């Protein structure tokens, strides 16, 4: 298999929320979950790419931006209720 690049497109909200989560993941002890050291290379690359692409992570209102992005990405409670009814 050749080493071709894969391009992943994210919205600004998705990138911001994922960047925050990856930062928290990297700061915890994940030896139980990440048992293959090779996994860390793409995790660090993805986190670094997001950090470079999101200048807002250093803004004074970062917390507010992150909270707003999380709200926009969460499914509406109406959507969750209809999904639950459809699965019954």
């Amino acid at each position: 298999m050749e080493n071709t690049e894969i391009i992943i497109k994210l919205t600004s909200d998705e990138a911001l929320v994922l960047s925050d989560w990856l930062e928290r993941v990297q700061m915890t002890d994940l030896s139980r979950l990440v048992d293959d050291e090779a996994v860390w290379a793409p995790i660090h690359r993805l986190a670094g790419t997001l950090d470079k692409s999101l200048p807002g992570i250093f803004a004074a209102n970062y917390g507010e931006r992150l909270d707003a992005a999380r709200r926009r990405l969460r499914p509406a409670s109406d959507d969750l209720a209809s999904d639950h009814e459809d699965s019954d």
Side-chain angles (χ1 to χ4, degrees):
M1 176 180 211
E2 63 185 77
N3 245 348
T4 59
E5 288 189 351
I6 296 175
I7 297 171
I8 299 172
K9 293 184 179 187
L10 301 170
T11 66
S12 297
D13 285 347
E14 291 168 336
L16 186 61
V17 170
L18 181 59
S19 173
D20 180 73
W21 181 82
L22 284 170
E23 180 68 24
R24 287 184 285 125
V25 164
Q26 292 178 87
M27 296 299 162
T28 62
D29 178 20
L30 292 178
S31 58
R32 294 174 302 189
L33 178 63
V34 181
D35 59 351
D36 181 355
E37 291 182 13
V39 173
W40 286 108
I43 288 174
H44 291 308
R45 183 172 180 179
L46 181 57
T49 299
L50 289 171
D51 287 350
K52 291 176 194 170
S53 302
L54 295 167
I57 63 174
F58 302 108
N61 65 344
Y62 169 75
E64 294 168 19
R65 289 179 181 204
L66 180 60
D67 289 341
R70 285 180 174 149
R71 281 192 304 274
R72 288 188 293 268
L73 290 174
R74 287 188 181 113
S77 57
D78 291 345
D79 293 343
L80 290 174
S82 67
D83 286 348
H84 180 66
E85 290 170 4
D86 293 342
S87 65
D88 290 339

